[in-house]
Amino acid sequence: MALRVGVIGGGQLARMMIAPAVELGIDLRVLAEGEGMSAQLAATEVGDYRDLEVVRAFATGVDVVTFDHEHVPQHVLRALVDDGVSVHPGPDALQFAQDKLAMRARLAELGVPQPDWAAVRDAAELEAFLESHDGTGVVKTPRGGYDGKGVRVVRAASDAQDWFDALGDGEALLVEELVGFVRELAQQIARRPGGQMVAYPVVETVQRDGVCAEVIAPAPDAPERLAQVAEGIGRAIAEGLGVTGMLAVELFETDDERILVNELAMRPHNSGHWSQDGAVTGQFEQHLRAVADLPLGDASPRAPWSVMVNILGGPAEGGLVDRFAAAMAEHPSAKIHTYGKDPRPGRKVGHVNVSGDDLDDAVYVARAAAAHFA
Ligand code: ADP
């Protein structure tokens, strides 16, 4: 019987696991949050991922449980593990992608380079941090943030008062130094339960309004030393935290060529979409291999350069598919990926990948093709 992999969450990351699952002969099943989600092309059932009995019932029909997002509560994950379900990444690893304060504390123990940070419970504690950091800081809600929501640059403790007011007993906010980075990078690592790891090349990511807009693989102008440091950080985190599946480490590069960890994702990640067309083994196939404990694939690039441009918002009228013919006719080298989502301002509805020998050319074609869908 085919290996059955269950994905909790029905977004575009689950959707993009479908094609490699078909190729590998894996029976992919999805527990989606609602009807009509991105991943509905897979065998999908609808249910609340916070409800233990719903998740338990879903897990009885699969051999491995993995995720499209990081929001499944710890008590649900731990109950599955106690039931004997194979969960990848497991709750011991996933907790550090769910809670940025827990992540900062654990990375400090591992000696991984990161921005100065503190847990602050009230305005007075935030004020003390700001005073020792030139009066500025970046305050983050430890849980539930995404695409820049839950991240705020502050110049006074009162700038975060509403978030302090919303804290429960014993809870705290994370404050970090405002890093003067020259660019953002991302390092991906795939890791199997037994410990086998494969590293992707470090990439450059460009964020607009807190949302990933473009990715260049590998990161341009990256000396060998920088690439090695990024890979070393990725491997140390994957191993130190016991991550299984794909790990993405978001990084800041400073003007003195230091690399600091921003945050972690334990699943396929926007910074790795280029690999679908630009690497020997794409991140979605690699994630399935890793969580199913199959030998990992080669993560080498297929071309000197790959560029990914996100399609945000989408056309004001009609769907992306209506624009296919024009984009494809003009840019036959562009690989267009769509998520089956209704266009909405700022929403990620697809992306374009272009690979080639010339970086400027690849950037031009990827942007031009994506612009057809704006
Ligand atoms: P999210 O979980 O919403 O993706 P992040 O922690 O990745 O939030 O922050 C979103 C963006 O905010 C980052 O990509 C970066 O551009 C900026 N940012 C986050 N932390 C810092 C920091 N300490 N210093 C400077 N910029 C930051």
Side-chain angles (χ1 to χ4, degrees):
M1 194 172 69
L3 186 78
R4 298 160 305 172
V5 174
V7 186
I8 300 183
Q12 67 261 27
L13 302 180
R15 177 188 180 95
M16 289 186 275
M17 291 178 206
I18 298 173
V22 170
E23 290 167 4
L24 295 172
I26 287 174
D27 178 0
L28 197 77
R29 308 203 177 169
V30 173
L31 179 63
E33 297 85 327
E35 301 288 347
M37 293 206 45
S38 271
Q40 67 177 354
L41 297 168
T44 301
E45 57 187 85
V46 172
D48 185 349
Y49 58 81
R50 294 163 301 190
D51 183 330
L52 174 57
E53 292 319 315
V54 167
V55 177
R56 222 176 216 157
F58 175 71
T60 58
V62 298
D63 301 303
V64 179
V65 168
T66 189
F67 310 95
D68 157 276
H69 60 69
E70 282 126 359
H71 307 314
V72 181
Q74 279 285 322
H75 76 91
V76 172
L77 299 171
R78 291 191 187 274
L80 290 189
V81 172
D82 290 346
D83 289 348
V85 177
S86 181
V87 180
H88 294 296
D92 288 340
L94 204 55
Q95 61 179 325
F96 300 111
Q98 294 179 319
D99 185 321
K100 290 178 182 177
L101 269 173
M103 173 197 73
R104 287 283 176 236
R106 185 74 185 103
L107 294 188
E109 284 174 4
L110 291 174
V112 170
Q114 51 181 347
D116 276 352
W117 65 279
V120 287
R121 282 165 300 181
D122 55 37
E125 289 185 355
L126 176 55
E127 199 62 58
F129 183 91
L130 297 181
E131 272 168 26
S132 56
H133 291 85
D134 297 329
T136 58
V138 181
V139 176
K140 301 184 178 185
T141 52
R143 297 175 156 275
Y146 68 95
D147 287 350
K149 294 172 185 64
V151 175
R152 194 184 282 173
V153 176
V154 300
R155 299 204 155 71
S158 56
D159 292 347
Q161 194 54 54
D162 54 331
W163 285 358
F164 283 123
D165 292 343
L167 286 179
D169 271 353
E171 290 181 345
L173 298 174
L174 169 64
V175 61
E176 298 172 359
E177 66 172 300
L178 179 65
V179 177
F181 57 83
V182 290
R183 60 174 172 173
E184 294 186 68
L185 304 170
Q187 174 68 54
Q188 287 191 297
I189 303 282
R191 186 172 177 276
R192 276 172 85 180
Q196 187 201 1
M197 287 191 271
V198 167
Y200 283 80
V202 66
V203 301
E204 177 172 342
T205 66
V206 179
Q207 266 65 235
R208 283 193 205 110
D209 300 327
V211 182
C212 177
E214 296 184 3
V215 172
I216 301 174
D221 304 319
E224 188 53 33
R225 191 192 65 82
L226 184 108
Q228 280 170 1
V229 169
E231 181 176 331
I233 289 172
R235 285 178 182 270
I237 293 173
E239 199 162 87
L241 270 45
V243 180
T244 42
M246 287 298 302
L247 165 71
V249 184
E250 295 180 16
L251 301 161
F252 297 128
E253 182 184 344
T254 64
D255 51 12
D256 54 357
E257 275 188 22
R258 283 182 312 137
I259 302 218
L260 305 174
V261 172
N262 175 25
E263 69 163 344
L264 310 177
M266 295 179 194
R267 49 173 169 75
H269 188 252
N270 203 160
S271 64
H273 290 354
W274 68 275
S275 67
Q276 290 174 298
D277 303 299
V280 176
T281 310
Q283 64 163 346
F284 297 97
E285 174 178 347
Q286 196 78 288
H287 186 73
L288 291 173
R289 288 186 185 217
V291 302
D293 204 12
L294 292 166
L296 300 179
D298 185 348
S300 308
R302 287 176 183 275
W305 299 107
S306 292
V307 176
M308 190 269 345
V309 174
N310 270 343
I311 302 170
L312 291 170
E317 280 171 32
L320 267 53
V321 176
D322 301 334
R323 312 273 178 116
F324 269 2
M328 288 171 173
E330 251 179 71
H331 306 291
S333 65
K335 306 296 285 184
I336 300 161
H337 297 257
T338 63
Y339 306 160
K341 290 178 172 179
D342 290 331
R344 217 190 287 143
R347 193 179 203 201
K348 291 176 183 170
V349 293
H351 66 272
V352 175
N353 287 334
V354 176
S355 297
D357 295 332
D358 185 85
L359 176 56
D360 290 341
D361 191 53
V363 169
Y364 172 80
V365 174
R367 286 182 185 166
H372 275 281
F373 301 97

